[in-house]
Amino acid sequence: MSDDFNKKRRNFLKSTAALGVAGMAPTVFVRNAWAQDFVNNPGKAAAITLGFNVPQTGPYADEGADELRAFKLAVKHLNGEGDGGMLNTMKPMALQGNGILGKKVNYVTGDTQTKSDAARASAKRMIEKDGALMISGGSSSGVAVAVQSLCHEAGVMFMAGLTHSNDTTGKDKRKYGFRHFFNAYMSGQSLAPVLGERYGTDRKAYHLTADYTWGWTQEESIKNATEGLGWQTVETVRTPLGAGDFSQYITPVLDSGADVLILNHYGKDMVNSLTQAVQFGLRDKQVNGKDFQIVVPLFSRLMAQGAGENIKGILGSTNWNWALQDAASQAFVKSFGQEYGFPPSQAAHTCYVQTLLYANAVETAGTFYPCEVISALEDFQFDGLGNGPTLYRGADHQCFKPVLVVEGNDNPSNQFDLLKVVKQVPTEQVMYDPSIFGGELGSCK
Amino acid sequence: MDAFVLQILNGLDKGSAYALIALGLTLVFGSLGVVNFAHGAKFTLGAFCAVSFQQLLTISRKVKDESVTFFDAYKEVPYLEIWWGDTGSMIIDWAVPLSIFLAIPVMLLIGLVLERGLYQFFYKRTHAEQILVTFGLAIVIQEVIKTFYGANPIPTPAPEMLSGTAPIGVWLGLGESVAYPYWRLVYFLFSLLVIGLVFAFLRYTTFGMVVRAGMSDRETVSLLGLNVERRFTILFGIASVVAGLAGVMYTPIVPPDYHMGMEFLVLSFVVVVVGGMGSLPGAVAAGFLLGILQSFASMNEIKSVLPGLDQIIVYLIAVIVLLVRPRGLMGQKGVMEE
């Protein structure tokens, strides 16, 4: 009797335990998913860290320095300090000026040196050692593509700063990477019609191109767009990044039969190549019965400052200009100007905006979990960040907004009034099918 | 014809820098037998003499820019302009040529200190050891410059009067289409002047005569009771000044940064080897020759047949010269021929 009872009791306990384990099992397996455990999850920490990875040395150092200023200003505004800048104008806006999800925002910085390997090492340190939840920065598409890939592998958000190569959101796009800045294709589409109006459709162009991903796609885009107008491409010559002396590349232009020189250079490379092209008398020449012209497809105020008088009358495209009169741009310029004593560059603008967009997406999602943040950013439509109504396209994580065609100002009204807006090209004119550049976003981890 | 003239000018301009640096290298190698890998750093030091002089002249006061209404903006107005108006502006504008007067004593001093403080202890060591120590010195100098001036290039423009384009074609009767930047012509003429002065100094002064004799047979000259060592020390200082001046005048062509000398150093060694180790005329001739060949190799007509030739032409010539004539174009018999 007793043995039988004990046997039954043991069987009952075993069955109950088995049922209990079986019942518990699904909860154990899905617990992590609901808790959203992810890289650098801040948990209950009072503060979070963002990583700002910019070129503090190298040919794009000026842009990098301005990017860093903008990042610091964005952090200040997110933490509820200062005048709030574009937090006051952005719509829709979930941020409350008390950090992100109530957590104070801290940051760490790194020097990409405008080199992909240094940038990756720096970003890796930020993720693994500093616990950065989001990496931003760039100023070189080569760097941006490399860091974006690293962030994707690590499962950390990458909000690209200054990067203009089609590849960043084209063949090298990644699920964890987002770009607010425009790209080379948009430069070509916006600039070519203005070039046609100004210089006619019967032109011969000579390209000098920075020899890396940005230069290649820039050259391809502007070449396609100008050839679409009827221009001929005489020659495309690649130059090393940071060449310094471009004379050996400029001298052949003089005898090439070209009547337009297109400088697919940026930063100090553009300053040097443009200055030297002017020094070699290109702008004073007449070829094929036409005045010789120089075009800088990607322009910025910082470069204009470096090139001085040489930029007068030269056409290019830009993502944003401090002289825009909309309330958002003015709020940002005022805020940045008060902080630093000069207006922000387009590099500063895009980095500031990217930081706000990330923070707003986290606030909207209610979590730092990247997959939720990505969902909040994909196909997000917003306004009040200085470029008019903008779409963060989900298919390739590229922003679409009007593009500015600018010209070196002949009569600047002050020391910063170096570029004047010639045309604000509507979004529809620069839109494209995301499939044209190939690439796969991949999936969220 | 236009392209031909322009390529010649471009080559002479490049060759000027090669020749000046190679000249200093050869002076040191010919007299002291030192393979000086820190010579490029002296080119950089010279460039930063120009930067320092410019910074000194442009010490400024912040003045509110009333034309900016968005925020409180400030302009930097140099004290020289505040005190002396247009005269002050003109002095600032001519900062680069004027900085030569700073560069000469500074580079001479640096040269003398380095020779006495470091190089003299390595005269009897192997070339490999000399290369190691001088390369180390070059890195130290670079890093010191980086610490004080930062890693980014610093614009150092030419005087406005010399920043335009010279109508070379009109001067030569070729028409208006051939024009060349004034400053690059100035650089070429300046290099000829410096080279001429160095040669004249070595040829027509007693000091130069003793040095040349010492370079040929150091022991015999010493036995005559002449202090060859001291003269070689001064010669080392002169070589530093030549490299420094090459750097000063190069700054308007490419804004200087801390590693600019390294880019020239390897090429200049090739120039020295092609010209003939220890041969001063060889260094100068090879400098200009390789500059011109490099320039022609960058022509589209050449590149369409042999792409990338402009990048390797200097090394290709060096290989050919060393195979055919191991002592170099004007080198002494026995040097590099074993």
Side-chain angles (χ1 to χ4, degrees):
Chain A
M1 173 80 183
S2 162
D3 281 353
D4 193 43
F5 173 78
N6 283 339
K7 199 175 177 184
K8 280 181 182 172
R9 187 177 61 89
R10 277 198 298 272
N11 283 342
F12 173 76
L13 286 172
K14 277 181 190 169
S15 306
T16 312
L19 274 170
V21 168
M24 287 286 288
T27 322
V28 170
F29 292 132
V30 299
R31 190 190 61 201
N32 284 344
W34 289 106
Q36 297 173 340
D37 202 9
F38 51 90
V39 177
N40 295 333
N41 184 350
K44 289 178 179 170
I48 57 132
T49 302
L50 306 181
F52 301 138
N53 206 16
V54 302
Q56 295 174 41
T57 53
Y60 300 154
D62 288 346
E63 272 73 10
D66 224 36
E67 287 186 331
L68 207 49
R69 291 185 194 105
F71 282 131
K72 289 175 183 174
L73 188 66
V75 167
K76 195 172 173 180
H77 290 168
L78 288 173
N79 286 331
E81 298 157 20
D83 63 9
M86 286 201 276
L87 282 179
N88 302 316
T89 56
M90 182 182 170
K91 287 172 192 163
M93 161 61 71
L95 293 162
Q96 294 155 32
N98 61 345
I100 307 175
L101 292 178
K103 296 182 192 298
K104 186 174 186 284
V105 181
N106 292 327
Y107 64 87
V108 288
T109 65
D111 180 9
T112 67
Q113 301 171 33
T114 329
K115 292 174 188 162
S116 299
D117 51 350
R120 278 177 71 98
S122 178
K124 202 164 184 287
R125 172 185 55 80
M126 289 171 172
I127 294 168
E128 291 176 0
K129 187 163 167 275
D130 303 316
L133 271 165
M134 178 274 273
I135 304 292
S136 187
S139 282
S140 153
S141 293
V143 163
V145 165
V147 175
Q148 178 171 260
S149 166
L150 175 101
C151 287
H152 181 83
E153 287 156 22
V156 169
M157 294 291 295
F158 177 65
M159 302 296 284
L162 185 80
T163 163
H164 187 246
S165 169
N166 294 332
D167 293 346
T168 310
T169 48
K171 77 173 178 59
D172 294 316
K173 60 179 169 269
R174 292 286 183 274
K175 190 74 174 172
Y176 285 78
F178 286 81
R179 171 165 64 177
H180 167 262
F181 206 69
F182 72 148
N183 64 21
Y185 177 88
M186 298 184 203
S187 281
Q189 294 305 304
S190 58
L191 188 55
V194 180
L195 293 177
E197 283 166 26
R198 287 284 186 94
Y199 306 143
T201 52
D202 178 25
R203 283 280 186 170
K204 292 180 176 170
Y206 192 109
H207 290 253
L208 289 184
T209 301
D211 196 6
Y212 73 103
T213 173
W214 169 69
W216 306 330
T217 65
Q218 167 76 25
E219 179 192 284
E220 184 191 27
S221 295
I222 197 82
K223 186 169 165 276
N224 289 342
T226 51
E227 284 178 354
L229 287 175
W231 288 23
Q232 285 177 51
T233 304
V234 174
E235 197 80 50
T236 54
V237 174
R238 304 280 162 88
T239 63
L241 186 63
D245 186 5
F246 287 90
S247 61
Q248 77 180 86
Y249 302 105
I250 291 168
T251 324
V253 180
L254 298 160
D255 199 43
S256 65
D259 47 41
V260 179
L261 172 64
I262 298 178
L263 294 174
N264 298 306
H265 290 151
Y266 195 74
K268 288 200 165 71
D269 276 1
M270 197 291 280
V271 171
N272 286 336
S273 64
L274 176 59
T275 305
Q276 288 165 19
V278 173
Q279 278 173 358
F280 270 85
L282 283 181
R283 295 197 74 184
D284 305 322
K285 278 179 83 77
Q286 275 229 328
V287 180
N288 308 324
K290 304 175 185 83
D291 289 339
F292 195 97
Q293 302 294 343
I294 300 174
V295 177
V296 177
L298 179 57
F299 232 150
S300 87
R301 184 186 59 77
L302 290 176
M303 294 187 329
Q305 210 164 295
E309 297 275 311
N310 301 317
I311 54 109
K312 288 186 173 180
I314 286 182
L315 287 168
S317 66
T318 192
N319 192 58
W320 176 84
N321 186 280
W322 74 280
L324 288 174
Q325 292 299 304
D326 62 283
S329 295
Q330 289 199 347
F332 180 51
V333 171
K334 193 177 173 198
S335 192
F336 190 97
Q338 281 309 127
E339 190 83 8
Y340 301 112
F342 45 84
S345 62
Q346 62 172 350
H349 172 256
T350 203
C351 287
Y352 178 90
V353 167
Q354 283 282 71
T355 313
L356 257 54
L357 283 167
Y358 167 77
N360 186 67
V362 171
E363 200 81 34
T364 306
T367 172
F368 288 97
Y369 180 45
C371 294
E372 298 290 328
V373 180
I374 289 167
S375 297
L377 278 169
E378 283 179 338
D379 292 320
F380 178 53
Q381 292 184 55
F382 57 92
D383 199 354
L385 286 178
N387 285 109
T390 305
L391 165 71
Y392 232 135
R393 186 161 69 180
D396 55 0
H397 295 185
Q398 172 65 51
C399 265
F400 287 91
K401 54 197 184 296
V403 172
L404 305 178
V405 174
V406 289
E407 181 180 13
N409 206 345
D410 280 327
N411 296 303
S413 59
N414 60 59
Q415 56 174 319
F416 309 118
D417 183 25
L418 302 173
L419 298 176
K420 67 178 175 193
V421 178
V422 174
K423 195 173 181 182
Q424 204 155 357
V425 181
T427 312
E428 309 80 64
Q429 197 175 314
V430 296
M431 269 279 205
Y432 57 88
D433 184 328
S435 65
I436 65 169
F437 294 122
E440 291 291 332
L441 277 174
S443 57
C444 194
K445 293 170 185 175
Chain B
M1 185 63 184
D2 292 3
F4 185 78
V5 174
L6 282 168
Q7 293 300 346
I8 293 272
L9 289 169
N10 224 10
L12 291 175
D13 163 49
K14 273 187 203 310
S16 301
Y18 296 161
L20 281 177
I21 300 175
L23 180 65
L25 272 173
T26 306
L27 277 176
V28 172
F29 181 78
S31 59
L32 303 167
V34 175
V35 182
N36 184 12
F37 259 69
H39 199 67
K42 290 178 192 160
F43 178 79
T44 315
L45 280 170
F48 277 85
C49 282
V51 170
S52 307
F53 194 68
Q54 180 186 254
Q55 289 181 347
L56 205 65
L57 292 182
T58 51
I59 291 174
S60 305
R61 193 171 78 192
K62 272 190 175 179
V63 176
K64 195 165 186 307
D65 186 351
E66 302 292 349
S67 62
V68 180
T69 51
F70 271 84
F71 49 84
D72 292 335
Y74 294 89
K75 283 193 283 197
E76 300 272 347
V77 185
Y79 281 105
L80 272 184
E81 284 182 8
I82 295 170
W83 296 333
W84 295 340
D86 289 346
T87 312
S89 305
M90 199 185 74
I91 294 171
I92 293 169
D93 190 34
W94 283 79
V96 170
L98 289 174
S99 60
I100 287 172
F101 298 108
L102 174 74
I104 290 173
V106 168
M107 292 309 300
L108 189 63
L109 186 68
I110 288 172
L112 297 180
V113 168
L114 283 178
E115 200 278 336
R116 286 292 89 192
L118 182 71
Y119 282 76
Q120 65 158 325
F121 303 111
F122 289 88
Y123 291 156
K124 289 181 181 157
R125 306 285 277 269
T126 62
H127 284 332
E129 286 173 314
Q130 288 172 356
I131 289 170
L132 280 176
V133 77
T134 53
F135 194 71
L137 175 66
I139 293 170
V140 170
I141 292 174
Q142 275 192 22
E143 292 305 310
V144 169
I145 292 173
K146 190 176 168 187
T147 305
F148 282 99
Y149 295 91
N152 296 313
I154 301 170
T156 321
E160 206 177 329
M161 189 195 284
L162 298 171
S163 58
T165 313
I168 293 279
V170 177
W171 295 348
L172 298 175
L174 295 169
E176 289 180 1
S177 57
V178 183
Y180 201 73
Y182 272 118
W183 188 260
R184 288 174 186 263
L185 290 176
V186 168
Y187 192 75
F188 168 60
L189 295 174
F190 179 79
S191 73
L192 289 186
L193 177 72
V194 172
I195 291 164
L197 284 174
V198 171
F199 275 89
F201 181 71
L202 290 174
R203 184 160 188 85
Y204 299 115
T205 63
T206 314
F207 179 95
M209 195 178 69
V210 174
V211 164
R212 279 189 292 127
M215 284 164 85
S216 297
D217 190 342
R218 190 173 183 161
E219 205 173 359
T220 307
V221 177
S222 299
L223 288 171
L224 291 171
L226 294 163
N227 190 342
V228 184
E229 302 293 326
R230 199 181 64 197
R231 285 176 173 81
F232 281 171
T233 302
I234 295 170
L235 197 67
F236 191 92
I238 292 170
S240 301
V241 170
V242 171
L245 290 180
V248 167
M249 295 296 275
Y250 197 75
T251 55
I253 294 174
V254 177
D257 59 33
Y258 71 103
H259 59 79
M260 66 188 294
M262 280 294 185
E263 290 154 23
F264 279 97
L265 187 69
V266 177
L267 277 172
S268 300
F269 265 105
V270 176
V271 167
V272 169
V273 169
V274 170
M277 295 291 278
S279 166
L280 295 177
V284 174
F288 285 115
L289 176 72
L290 292 180
I292 290 169
L293 287 175
Q294 197 178 30
S295 183
F296 275 105
S298 69
M299 289 176 80
N300 287 334
E301 290 82 353
I302 307 286
K303 281 205 285 191
S304 61
V305 185
L306 297 165
L309 182 68
D310 56 327
Q311 305 293 321
I312 60 160
I313 181 92
V314 170
Y315 306 101
L316 200 62
I317 296 292
V319 169
I320 293 167
V321 167
L322 286 175
L323 284 174
V324 176
R325 193 178 160 87
R327 76 179 84 158
L329 295 175
M330 298 185 189
Q332 292 169 346
K333 197 174 181 186
V335 179
M336 304 278 288
E337 276 189 314
E338 290 87 33

